[in-house]
Amino acid sequence: MEIPAAAQAVLSRLPKGVARRLEGVLDKLPFVGDLVRAEKKKVSDSMRESVRKHRPTELQFDALPQAGLPQAQVLETLRTLSARESPMWRDGRVSGGVYHGDAEHLRFLDEVYSLYSQANPLHADVWPSVARFEADLVAFTSKLMGGDAKLEDDERVVCGTLSSGGTESIMLAMKAYRDLGREQRGIKHGNIVAPMSAHPAFDKAAHTMNVELRRVPVDADGRANVAAMKAAVDGSTLVMVGSAVSFPHGVVDPIEALSDFAREKGIGFHTDACLGGFILAFAREAGFSAPRFDFSLPGVTSMSADTHKFGYSAKGTSVVLYRGRALRRHQYFTTPEWPGGLYVTPGFAGSRPGALIAMAWATMVTIGHEGYVKHTRAVLETAREIRRGIEGIPALRIVGDPLWVIAFTSESVDVYRVLDEMAKLGWSLNGLQHPAAVHLCVTLRHTQPGVAEKFIADLRTSVDAVRGTPPPKDGMAPVYGLASSLPFKGMVSDLLCAYVDALYDA
Ligand SMILES: Cc1ncc(COP(=O)(O)O)c(C=O)c1O
């Protein structure tokens, strides 16, 4: 199904509703509809097949086994599966994913988990220690992110809560702004102004919260364009957003200029430091320069920073912070009339895993400030070495001026095919689009001896391999090719959903 580039450009600029209707009309046309359906089926069949091929076959069931299996048998199988899957991340071949992963640290975390496996902070009376761990995590993070006001200063104190991850932290902050906007400014249909590079969690938040997300194009270096961001703000803007650092290109948006503007306008400013907070907070002490991004800037009114990324704990925790208790109050949810009792939760979840909170707390207090500085130095030094290595490959060009999430593109080779060649050599990197690029998020896993050198050597091999061979039929290159050739983003969404279907149904 080939659609000329000029037509694609026009179609892709159609408003969402019009595009969806047009797509619906096309779908009903006898010949075109059949063609579209056949193409979609071909792609979803091949995704299903690819998922099936990679699925482990040990202990497969059609339904819950009638009689329970012996624990020893299940444990043995889990050991086999885990041993098969761990070399890839353990040996430092995954972009992001596992941020610490050192064996001794993991053993320690496992022990902490086992002590708190039943804990649930919904019952603060039963597990008061978990409630304290949460308060400590928020206080530690607040101080690291520039919060310096006294606890009794309701308006200036940087306070917050824990959440299940970056996405939940962002969604909670956006809910707080929506509800504050409704209450204080009478805004019924508010909007969020964010750069194109901001994480999809903002789309999810806007969609769920029924507010508009205004995505603003970024500059060629991947950073938010201040003038364009300012122009997108109007009387219904609830909050502006900047990333420190952005997921795609690992760059810090001009947070100072953006948050100053937000302050002038009397609106909120959220720094998404999910990925960058726990590196940038220590960068200067580690000997690297880093722009200001946190509550030391008076216009920053909320932040998200993930303890489960460069905070080095296990997956499942993040910190969301607010300047002032009033804003945080709009995050909470209360149900005072419920027959089940007086009910209040700080976030979206009801019951929560206390063990993950205990692990995050235990991680932070055992690593300590000095440990974070040391880890930050290791990550940034390794990233600098990798960046220099990439700059030494003439076919590749680094996007922007990144610190440790390093994106590269190419004018002379298909960078998605480089991604596929790297996958053949055992690397799991991230494909990016607009422009077509690939990134590596450097973690402590890559600071192990020899990993940076191997990455660069394999990258050279992959670029060379792409040059002399015809395009393959499988891998990510054809998928990204198809995604960019589809005229309606709804069709790309359908394919993405088909992929999730395949994961659950295969
Ligand atoms: C900048 C940024 N924000 C938010 C998120 C979302 O975090 P999570 O995957 O924990 O929900 C990510 C994840 O990579 C991120 O890089």
Side-chain angles (χ1 to χ4, degrees), residues 126-200:
V126 184
W127 290 283
S129 57
V130 175
R132 216 212 68 205
F133 298 153
E134 286 202 78
D136 282 354
L137 284 164
V138 169
F140 298 159
T141 312
S142 159
K143 283 226 173 73
L144 290 171
M145 303 300 152
D148 61 359
K150 297 242 167 351
L151 266 181
E152 50 281 6
D153 184 346
D154 270 353
E155 277 180 31
R156 288 181 58 249
V157 68
V158 172
C159 55
T161 72
L162 233 67
S163 81
S164 62
T167 299
E168 191 187 354
S169 285
I170 288 168
M171 292 182 74
L172 288 169
M174 297 305 112
K175 175 200 177 297
Y177 285 113
R178 183 200 60 180
D179 291 358
L180 182 82
R182 260 187 205 158
E183 186 186 283
Q184 290 194 349
R185 295 163 63 201
I187 297 176
K188 283 207 183 97
H189 302 290
N191 64 71
I192 301 166
V193 173
M196 282 301 286
S197 53
H199 193 271

Side-chain angles (χ1 to χ4, degrees), residues 165-167 170 199 245 247 272 274-275 306 308-309:
T167 299
I170 288 168
H199 193 271
V245 297
F247 174 85
D272 175 10
C274 284
L275 184 57
D306 289 357
H308 72 188
K309 292 193 177 79

Side-chain angles (χ1 to χ4, degrees), residues 259-430:
S259 61
D260 279 352
F261 176 79
R263 190 165 181 236
E264 259 168 49
K265 290 277 168 194
I267 59 178
F269 186 90
H270 183 89
T271 301
D272 175 10
C274 284
L275 184 57
F278 284 103
I279 291 276
L280 294 172
F282 303 103
R284 260 179 243 136
E285 281 177 84
F288 288 78
S289 64
R292 289 171 79 196
F293 69 103
D294 60 14
F295 289 103
S296 63
L297 298 168
V300 172
T301 50
S302 62
M303 288 186 70
S304 42
D306 289 357
T307 32
H308 72 188
K309 292 193 177 79
F310 288 99
Y312 302 123
S313 192
K315 282 287 171 277
T317 60
S318 163
V319 177
V320 54
L321 297 170
Y322 300 96
R323 190 190 296 279
R325 289 203 171 85
L327 188 53
R328 178 175 66 175
R329 189 62 69 78
H330 286 285
Q331 175 192 303
Y332 299 165
F333 201 90
T334 59
T335 315
E337 300 294 344
W338 186 43
L342 294 169
Y343 189 86
V344 57
T345 49
F348 293 128
S351 294
R352 289 182 296 135
L356 296 183
I357 295 160
M359 285 158 93
W361 182 86
T363 297
M364 286 199 80
V365 297
T366 50
I367 292 179
H369 195 100
E370 287 172 9
Y372 279 101
V373 173
K374 189 180 89 182
H375 291 338
T376 298
R377 189 176 298 119
V379 167
L380 294 179
E381 282 175 353
T382 302
R384 186 164 55 192
E385 186 186 338
I386 289 177
R387 179 177 167 169
R388 283 188 187 138
I390 299 172
E391 283 166 347
I393 302 175
L396 304 180
R397 179 171 60 78
I398 304 261
V399 183
D401 184 19
L403 281 162
W404 72 97
V405 183
I406 308 168
F408 52 89
T409 182
S410 178
E411 276 80 42
S412 56
V413 293
D414 179 347
V415 82
Y416 296 134
R417 288 189 58 202
V418 175
L419 175 70
D420 286 338
E421 290 299 323
M422 285 297 275
K424 284 186 206 159
L425 297 174
W427 293 91
S428 170
L429 307 180
N430 295 90

Side-chain angles (χ1 to χ4, degrees), residues 3-17:
I3 288 150
Q8 265 180 49
V10 173
L11 292 170
S12 68
R13 263 185 259 121
L14 288 175
K16 235 189 208 162

